[in-house]
Amino acid sequence: MQNNVLSSLKEHENKLLTIWSQLLLENGSTDGLTEEEESKEFTSLLLDALSISNNYNQESEQFEKVHDLIIGISSSRAKRGFSPRENAQYLISFKEAASQILSELETDSAKLYDANLQLGAVIDNMTIMTFEAYMKGREDVISRQIDEISEISTPVIRVWDGVVALPIIGTLDSSRTQVVMENLLQQIVDTGSSIAILDISGVPAVDSLVAQHLIKTVSATRLMGAECIISGIRPEIAQTVVHLGIDLTGIITKASLASALQTAFDMLQLTVVKRK
């Protein structure tokens, strides 16, 4: 049976908003006008749901609207810099404000206990939703940042007419190899280059997996009609490659980018001389 005590909160909506705003201000969980408008909309929608919904079924259409709204408010507050704790405090303060009013409206301790229990179940469920919404929002931001960093960290540079270079910094995994290949092949098409230099000076370590990724990139480059040179082969990398038995036969490797560029000039039958 629906609790008439909770339903009566609708008649005290303005007072509830006032107490809630004071609690948020005391807790430092508010940022002014934007939050005031969000709180008004949330309070109105939730009190309507408590007045209409039978037995406070949180799967009902009325509560679905409230859930959609609180998820939107949670995401908005996260973007404005609020922490998960402050997001939770937003709803906890509402429950505290509503409990104060319920204590004034109901003198029967059993009915008051039941009303607070029902209210707690509704608010606690929405608090969990705010954490889920916050985490999903953070995951989306992190995923987008990873993609952006991946794009930035694989720049293809046109170092000479017919020669492009791609300095690789950091670990080379499967997903990043795909980005490297796509960027490199697209730049070869755009510039009409016949030589590509992969500089791995910034790769901390080369294992069998990294080597396989490099070989795949070289093979893809050759399919585009361009030759590939791998530069930045440090002594420890050379030892690792030999120790692992990785076959780089047929791939041009150089110790430095300068040496790789000189090899590219030789392949293009170019000579760079100092001007007298």
Side-chain angles (χ1 to χ4, degrees), residues 1 11 13 15 18 28 36 70 78 82 84 114 126 131 134 140 151 162-163 178 180 182 191 209 214 236 241 255 267:
M1 182 180 296
E11 302 171 10
E13 183 174 335
K15 184 177 180 181
T18 301
E36 183 179 343
I70 194 60
F82 286 98
D114 183 56
M126 286 190 285
F131 276 103
Y134 186 91
D140 291 342
E151 290 288 343
V163 182
Q178 186 64 31
V180 167
E182 289 176 359
T191 62
L209 188 60
L214 290 174
E236 58 269 27
V241 169
M267 294 170 66

Side-chain angles (χ1 to χ4, degrees), residues 16-254:
L16 174 57
L17 272 169
T18 301
I19 298 174
W20 187 21
S21 297
Q22 291 174 348
L23 291 173
L24 287 174
L25 192 61
E26 292 172 5
N27 295 327
S29 300
T30 182
D31 61 358
L33 186 60
T34 301
E35 183 136 291
E36 183 179 343
E37 293 301 318
E38 290 176 345
S39 299
K40 284 181 180 179
E41 186 180 2
F42 171 75
T43 302
S44 176
L45 206 58
L46 177 57
L47 295 186
D48 285 342
L50 291 174
S51 300
I52 299 171
S53 179
N54 183 34
N55 292 326
Y56 312 117
N57 177 16
Q58 297 195 50
E59 301 298 325
S60 67
E61 182 181 351
Q62 290 81 10
F63 273 104
E64 283 183 6
K65 294 178 181 178
V66 181
H67 294 163
D68 290 341
L69 177 61
I70 194 60
I71 288 173
I73 291 175
S74 176
S75 298
S76 174
R77 284 169 60 85
K79 291 176 183 177
R80 300 202 305 269
F82 286 98
S83 67
R85 181 181 181 279
E86 289 169 327
N87 261 348
Q89 189 64 48
Y90 180 76
L91 287 175
I92 292 172
S93 298
F94 177 88
K95 183 166 66 173
E96 185 178 344
S99 294
Q100 288 185 25
I101 295 178
L102 288 174
S103 299
E104 298 172 2
L105 296 177
E106 183 57 63
T107 56
D108 188 318
S109 59
K111 290 183 179 179
L112 180 60
Y113 173 79
D114 183 56
N116 278 307
L117 200 63
Q118 293 279 10
L119 179 65
V122 171
I123 298 300
D124 291 348
N125 182 54
M126 286 190 285
T127 302
I128 294 173
M129 288 183 178
T130 65
F131 276 103
E132 291 175 343
Y134 186 91
M135 293 306 297
K136 185 178 185 303
R138 294 297 299 168
E139 288 172 0
D140 291 342
V141 170
I142 292 171
S143 178
R144 186 172 65 252
Q145 289 175 340
I146 289 174
D147 291 339
E148 292 173 353
I149 291 172
S150 181
E151 290 288 343
I152 294 171
S153 63
T154 53
V156 182
I157 306 165
R158 186 178 182 182
V159 294
W160 204 269
D161 186 22
V163 182
V164 294
L166 195 158
I168 302 174
I169 300 173
T171 304
L172 195 62
D173 55 21
S174 299
S175 59
R176 193 169 178 213
T177 300
Q178 186 64 31
V179 175
V180 167
M181 273 201 257
E182 289 176 359
N183 291 351
L184 182 59
L185 298 181
Q186 187 59 51
Q187 192 68 8
I188 288 173
V189 172
D190 293 343
T191 62
S193 299
S194 58
I195 299 176
I197 301 173
L198 288 177
D199 185 73
I200 61 172
S201 302
V203 177
V206 174
D207 56 18
S208 57
L209 188 60
V210 171
Q212 290 301 320
H213 291 322
L214 290 174
I215 292 172
K216 288 179 182 179
T217 304
V218 171
S219 299
T221 304
R222 286 175 172 172
L223 287 173
M224 295 296 295
E227 186 54 71
C228 194
I229 304 172
I230 299 178
S231 66
I233 304 294
R234 304 187 300 277
E236 58 269 27
I237 290 179
Q239 291 178 8
T240 301
V241 169
V242 172
H243 179 71
L244 294 174
I246 300 169
D247 184 14
L248 295 181
T249 305
I251 300 176
I252 303 174
T253 58
K254 296 294 177 182

